[in-house]
Amino acid sequence: MKTLKALILLITISFIATGCFEDNDDNTISTNEINDFVWKGMNAFYLYKDNIPDLANNRFPGDAEYTDYLNTFSKPEDLFESLIFQRATVDRFSWIVDDYIALEQAFSGITTNNGMEYNLYSYPDNSNNVFGVVVYVLPGTSAESQNLKRGDIFYAVDNNQLTTSNFSTLLGPDNYALSFGDYDTNGTPEINDDTIVSNNETKSLTKVQYTENPILVSNVLDVGGTKIAYLMYNGFTGTDQFNTELNDTFGTFKSANATELVLDLRYNPGGSVNTAILLSSMITGQFTGEIFSREEWNAEFQQALEDEDPELLINRFVNNNDGTALNSLNLNKVYILTTSRSASASELVINSLNPYIDVVQIGATTSGKYQASTTLYDSPNFRRSGANPNHTYAMQPLIFKSSNVDGVTDFFNGLSPDSANVLNESINDLGTLGDVNEPLLAAAIAKILGTGRPAGQKLSSDLNRLNSIDQPRPFENDMHVDLELPEHLIKKIFFE
């Protein structure tokens, strides 16, 4: 919606070089030069600046003290981490990268990928062993060519048992062989004696650069004469191409006279706020111009934005995408499937639609990310243009938190379905995505038709799913924005 094109005028400070980095062109840059970028960017934009004493505007009496402070950090990552507010509880999502080229590719859906998306679990016997369960396979990838399928279980890489301490290392390379097995309950209802038994199957996978289409499955189901649109949407990439495809998909739903929608966000980690607004406006259509969400920044930005124009803090429902009319369904109810992997922009859709229509959430509690971030580069205005050519560091700090029109925010513990709609995925019965008998979709269809919720296994609710995965998803746990702030407003924030 908005693009950050602010010219931020900050004092240039002389500094003493304490170390050097090599960039891809063999040019050297001092550690402190990157540290200077890190501190200035966090001082300007960080949502929780007011909670970090080292980010106070009057923290340093002069240039010498500032230089000494930067000298205490041998790596930019260390400085960045020292400025994070309550990493374990409040800010779990700000991050820094040393390769913004890869970051930009990830935001547009491009990753190095073998096509196998999975969950990792600890063995139920309380050992340190780990196993993985394939949850979906991307088309045209190594995983598809090896006939991997949803529900496959793997427990070793290159004949090495996965553990809590080695899975990131073992699953990191571009090439590896997986050993597969079956989940064995040992004939008892308890899970403590469950284990993974080898089925003597091994498959080799290769990662290549891949552009993931966030629309994994879309169709219109005719169930007893009711037209139910189903969309599995796995990421808010924000690219023009995929936003257009999303609008075209809703055009197909309209042409098929769909009267109900099941939106599957169970594996959607988030992404673009703009795409979240577009998707929500396609689901509805009758609220154009109404408040979709509000933004709350750090104290300096918040006051300046309110003084300049309170509208700068508001995102509204729309009826077009860059001039192209949206294919809106004008629904008063939507069914949204979620798990703990549903995050940020996925949660923004749920929270922002809730005051306007009946949002029936089915599945498990979401991740709990209500803050948004933006990419900051080492340039005079922190934008990509003019970025320092001697390194590729960039930051993705939280810059504001979102609330819906009723002021609901700070859902740190996630958004939960009503108790009657709680349904965990079972690794023994994952089903086929988009099929009417897949447990979560079947539960939504039962709600739509009023036939009562089908019985479902809950084995996965008793297993410990690990949060880390080897190949970061595009926009993993991210809700990102581009913001347009007038130059005179930026000057006012820093110099008045």
Side-chain angles (χ1 to χ4, degrees):
M1 288 292 184
K2 309 167 184 175
T3 54
L4 176 59
K5 297 176 181 176
L7 178 60
I8 299 181
L9 302 177
L10 298 174
I11 301 172
T12 301
I13 298 177
S14 301
F15 48 80
I16 301 172
T18 60
C20 293
F21 289 92
E22 293 283 345
D23 80 331
N24 294 332
D25 296 321
D26 295 326
N27 295 321
T28 59
I29 183 170
S30 70
T31 305
N32 268 21
E33 186 173 349
I34 303 176
N35 285 349
D36 180 55
F37 149 64
V38 171
W39 189 88
K40 286 179 177 177
M42 295 292 280
N43 168 263
F45 292 99
Y46 189 42
L47 171 61
Y48 300 107
K49 170 185 177 178
D50 302 330
N51 302 101
I52 306 296
D54 279 343
L55 287 177
N57 293 341
N58 61 356
R59 167 66 175 82
F60 307 104
D63 292 1
E65 290 82 2
Y66 178 65
T67 300
D68 289 343
Y69 169 77
L70 296 183
N71 279 338
T72 63
F73 298 95
S74 61
K75 296 190 300 183
E77 292 86 350
D78 294 339
L79 171 58
F80 180 82
E81 198 60 34
S82 76
L83 301 174
I84 298 301
F85 179 59
Q86 296 185 13
R87 170 61 86 187
T89 56
V90 179
D91 183 357
R92 298 171 288 160
F93 304 107
S94 292
W95 31 276
I96 186 171
V97 297
D98 60 6
D99 182 3
Y100 59 67
I101 304 300
L103 174 66
E104 292 165 349
Q105 291 175 335
F107 279 152
S108 61
I110 302 172
T111 58
T112 301
N113 203 313
N114 59 31
M116 177 184 69
E117 186 61 32
Y118 55 87
N119 288 337
L120 293 176
Y121 298 93
S122 297
Y123 271 46
D125 60 4
N126 295 318
S127 69
N128 290 323
N129 290 342
V130 169
F131 69 97
V133 180
V134 179
V135 292
Y136 66 85
V137 173
L138 293 170
T141 62
S142 177
E144 184 183 56
S145 69
Q146 289 294 314
N147 297 314
L148 266 68
K149 61 185 183 300
R150 178 170 163 83
D152 283 348
I153 293 174
F154 59 92
Y155 63 91
V157 175
D158 295 330
N159 294 317
N160 296 301
Q161 170 67 51
L162 291 166
T163 69
T164 54
S165 60
N166 72 11
F167 70 82
S168 292
T169 300
L170 291 179
L171 290 165
D174 289 344
N175 300 282
Y176 52 69
L178 296 176
S179 298
F180 291 86
D182 300 309
Y183 193 95
D184 187 357
T185 65
N186 281 307
T188 69
E190 295 80 18
I191 72 167
N192 291 339
D193 61 350
D194 295 356
T195 188
I196 307 299
V197 179
S198 173
N199 60 18
N200 297 315
E201 185 175 12
T202 301
K203 294 183 178 180
S204 297
L205 299 179
T206 300
K207 297 176 186 177
V208 298
Q209 191 172 84
Y210 182 83
T211 301
E212 179 179 348
N213 190 326
I215 300 174
L216 185 68
V217 184
S218 67
N219 51 38
V220 177
L221 307 169
D222 190 332
V223 185
T226 300
K227 296 292 185 69
I228 304 172
Y230 171 78
L231 172 64
M232 172 158 243
Y233 195 63
N234 286 339
F236 295 80
T237 61
T239 65
D240 292 339
Q241 173 190 347
F242 291 138
N243 284 344
T244 297
E245 289 189 27
L246 180 62
N247 194 32
D248 290 344
T249 297
F250 272 77
T252 299
F253 293 162
K254 286 186 67 174
S255 298
N257 298 314
T259 58
E260 307 284 351
L261 172 65
V262 178
L263 176 61
D264 196 338
L265 301 177
R266 73 182 81 180
Y267 306 128
N268 191 317
S272 166
V273 170
N274 181 39
T275 300
I277 296 171
L278 291 172
L279 174 59
S280 300
S281 299
M282 294 174 200
I283 293 170
T284 56
Q286 64 271 43
F287 304 112
T288 299
E290 297 294 320
I291 294 174
F292 175 76
S293 65
R294 300 181 190 273
E295 301 171 2
E296 182 178 331
W297 295 61
N298 67 43
E300 283 179 305
F301 263 113
Q302 187 74 14
Q303 189 61 55
L305 291 167
E306 288 177 355
D307 292 344
E308 175 72 15
D309 182 2
E311 187 67 24
L312 293 170
L313 296 166
I314 296 174
N315 293 303
R316 298 184 181 275
F317 287 91
V318 297
N319 60 7
N320 72 91
N321 178 30
D322 290 332
T324 300
L326 297 186
N327 295 308
S328 298
L329 299 183
N330 294 286
L331 297 177
N332 293 308
K333 179 182 287 189
V334 63
Y335 300 81
I336 301 183
L337 309 183
T338 64
T339 67
S340 60
R341 292 182 60 174
S342 309
S344 65
S346 291
E347 295 169 297
L348 180 64
V349 168
I350 296 170
N351 191 46
S352 296
L353 284 178
N354 256 322
Y356 293 97
I357 65 175
D358 187 4
V359 177
V360 181
Q361 185 182 347
I362 298 172
T365 302
T366 62
S367 174
K369 183 175 186 291
Y370 46 87
Q371 308 107 322
S373 64
T374 195
T375 307
L376 301 181
Y377 300 85
D378 186 7
S379 70
N381 63 355
F382 294 108
R383 292 294 82 201
R384 179 67 160 83
S385 177
N388 190 325
N390 295 325
H391 71 89
T392 54
Y393 270 88
M395 298 186 294
Q396 196 76 22
L398 298 180
I399 59 171
F400 67 77
K401 64 181 182 179
S402 289
S403 63
N404 66 18
V405 67
D406 291 338
V408 177
T409 184
D410 293 344
F411 42 87
F412 172 80
N413 293 319
L415 301 171
S416 298
D418 292 340
S419 58
N421 295 335
V422 174
L423 181 61
N424 290 286
E425 286 195 306
S426 168
I427 62 173
N428 285 340
D429 185 25
L430 286 176
T432 301
L433 295 172
D435 186 272
V436 294
N437 296 311
E438 186 275 314
L440 265 65
L441 177 54
I445 292 173
K447 283 282 183 182
I448 292 170
L449 301 181
T451 57
R453 174 176 147 177
Q457 295 174 298
K458 296 185 178 181
L459 176 60
S460 293
S461 65
D462 296 320
L463 296 174
N464 177 34
R465 185 179 75 82
L466 305 177
N467 290 326
S468 298
I469 57 177
D470 75 299
Q471 45 195 41
R473 297 283 317 285
F475 29 81
E476 188 73 31
N477 288 329
D478 181 64
M479 180 162 62
H480 62 265
V481 291
D482 295 316
L483 306 194
E484 183 172 352
L485 298 174
E487 179 179 334
H488 74 276
L489 176 59
I490 296 297
K491 293 179 179 178
K492 177 180 178 180
I493 292 171
F494 288 106
F495 297 109
E496 294 183 7

